[in-house]
Amino acid sequence: MIREFTLLGLSCANCAAAIEDSVKGLQGVSNASVNFITSTLRMEIAGSFPGNSLHESVERIVHEHESEVLVFERKNRAQSEINRKNMAKIALLSAGAIILAAGTMLEQAGFGKHISLALFVFGYLMLGGKIILQAGRNIARGRVFDENFLMAAATIGAFSIGEYSEALGVMLFYQVGMYFQDLAVRKSKKDIAALMDIRPDYANLRKEGQLIRVSPESVKIGDVIIVKPGEKIPLDGVVLKGESMLDTSSLTGESVPRRVSASDIVLSGCVNQNGLLTIEVTHAFGESTASKIIDLVENAAAKKAQTENFITKFARYYTPVVVGLAALIAIIPPLLSAGLWIDWLRRGLIFLVISCPCALLISIPLGFFGGIGGASKRGILIKGGNYLEALCNLDYVVFDKTGTLTKGTFKVTAIHPANGFSAMELLEAAASAEAFSNHPIALSILREYGKDVNKDELTEFNEIAGQGVSANAGGRIITAGSKKLLADRGVTFVEPQQGGAKVYVASDNEFMGYIVVSDEMKPDSCNAIEALKALGVRKIVMMTGDDPLIAEATANELQIDEVYGGLLPAQKTEKVEALNEQKRGKLAFVGDGINDAPVLALADVGVAMGGIGSDAAIEAADVVLMSDEPSKLAEAVEIARFTRHIVWQNIAFTLGVKATFLLLGAFGAANMWEAVFADVGVAVLAILNSIRTIRQFGIAKNRNMRCGMCAPLYGAFLNNLNNLFFIL
């Protein structure tokens, strides 16, 4: 059983990881994960919990780490509670600033020393009381090295050496920085939620001749709903009546509307633009396209990139090491008579404040999730940061042909009559033989013929699996199919060398000619290959079960480097295994879903042409291209590289600033205020920089990605001044 809780106000990535570990230790909980980005705790329950005991247990654990976080069983935005907490925080910070100013003026005026001290102590307890209590609780539970401990130790140390105003000022500055950090995190989460705002709020259920507005969760399969112009389609279904244009951009990323009418399939999350649609529901809400996509993107954060895992491990060792160095700085030099205790203690305290790794722990997963959210807005579903990171280093890309580079719909491209027959006689004979067949090639011939075949004249219809058909048409035996079928019937002809699927036709064992049927190329397949090569993909390969001649012709048209035709699924797997041994980076396989499932699983990145409503593709692949356009893969690579660029900017900037201030602090050239900037100030800047992934792909929709990727580090952070106004 799955249970989910919303952790409203969760703003500490370190605490989120600690909450996850603690919840995993609950009896009856088989697995648990905290998604910091969506503030969601998801648990797999193996046992049973009476009454509200699970909620109470979760709430107790959460409050051990974050006392102000609110825990909801169901998703609840509780906007009024958020506003109340914001107003209370602003009032607290304002009061702290007034107390600091008053105490400092009294201290500098030279009178009221005890009054100023009392103000400083009162202001400090007001601003930092919860931090000190939380640090004490954490130490009692064996959790020492967190930001609460670092700030409590540094500011209490400042009090102990008589720096009262500095202790209060540092705590105030820290709280202001944390407020802006929380604001930035909340804003970024809100923007990610906006990217995935395809969840319908209600459904108009038709019941006993009346329309009732109900929750989409309460609608059952087979129910009939009405979707008015301007409304979101709440559930997947089939149009019973009506005609309209649908905005499918939230699913496919494409701005061109799609026309639907009676008998067409429609998907939840699309917006009905102009007509009134009557729809019969085919999937319950939990199985609908919108619900699956939202769940997929929200849970993508659970699959962390190698960079995220590295930073988490790095922070685990980094903080204790720096705390140890701070202790050595405060103790060793005075013992060696290298200065006064008070000076070295101050340096050690400054060292403590600088050491907090929150900037990395928050900004890096935020950057990856922003990239995933932005990609989803473009109709590219990426199932985790690990796959996003793998897309950055594609060396080989292997494409399936049918349904991937081609439309998977056949069309007559050439008619070659022989032995004195005309093209129309050849086409008419083939259409007569294929009249009762549902094979895609047969249907393409019937479409090309464009007339009704008189089926009353057809007798002795026989379909030979994998070879073709024969029928008696007005006294003539018409045979249409493969060269083997005609050879078995004793028909002689010269085999042509032209590419494409060929349907050979004979009348009473006399060869009439052949018809070439080709799979239509997707309009942007050529652009996809060119774009991937421009992005540095070393080799592009095509594998198909189609005829080798057809495969070769398609590969030549698209300028593909290597091609393999006539492959069975098992042979595709063997070929991909062989390519895996040759590659330098990552290998992606692009296929059309469940038919290519073994190869999709074998590749470093399995990419499915999801199409609209392809459940099998969504389940099988690591990346799903919802619009069925192969060029979306190149766009996914660009998004992945831009995201990686942002992440490494944050790593370089954060570690660079911290290293600089740690050295300055150790040598006595940095004060406590600068130390706080090196902590919360850097965190805010890193978060603002991460927001660029969200704005780049989800909001601004700026396609000049290479410009952003090539921007120098200092330029990127100057751009974040604009992001600061965006946050506020």
Side-chain angles (χ1 to χ4, degrees), residues 122-180:
F122 174 73
Y124 177 80
L125 292 175
M126 182 181 70
L127 289 171
K130 288 185 178 180
I131 290 175
I132 296 169
L133 287 174
Q134 192 65 50
R137 292 193 194 103
N138 291 346
I139 291 171
R141 298 184 184 104
R143 296 192 298 268
V144 179
F145 301 111
D146 65 357
E147 60 184 356
N148 295 303
F149 167 76
L150 297 175
M151 283 307 302
T155 51
I156 290 173
F159 261 107
S160 69
I161 61 176
E163 298 290 348
Y164 311 123
S165 61
E166 185 171 285
L168 175 57
V170 166
M171 185 59 77
L172 174 63
F173 189 18
Y174 173 76
Q175 290 282 28
V176 170
M178 290 302 294
Y179 173 74
F180 278 104

Side-chain angles (χ1 to χ4, degrees), residues 435-436 446 452-459:
F436 291 105
L446 290 169
D452 292 331
V453 176
N454 187 355
K455 295 180 180 179
D456 294 335
E457 293 184 358
L458 300 177
T459 60

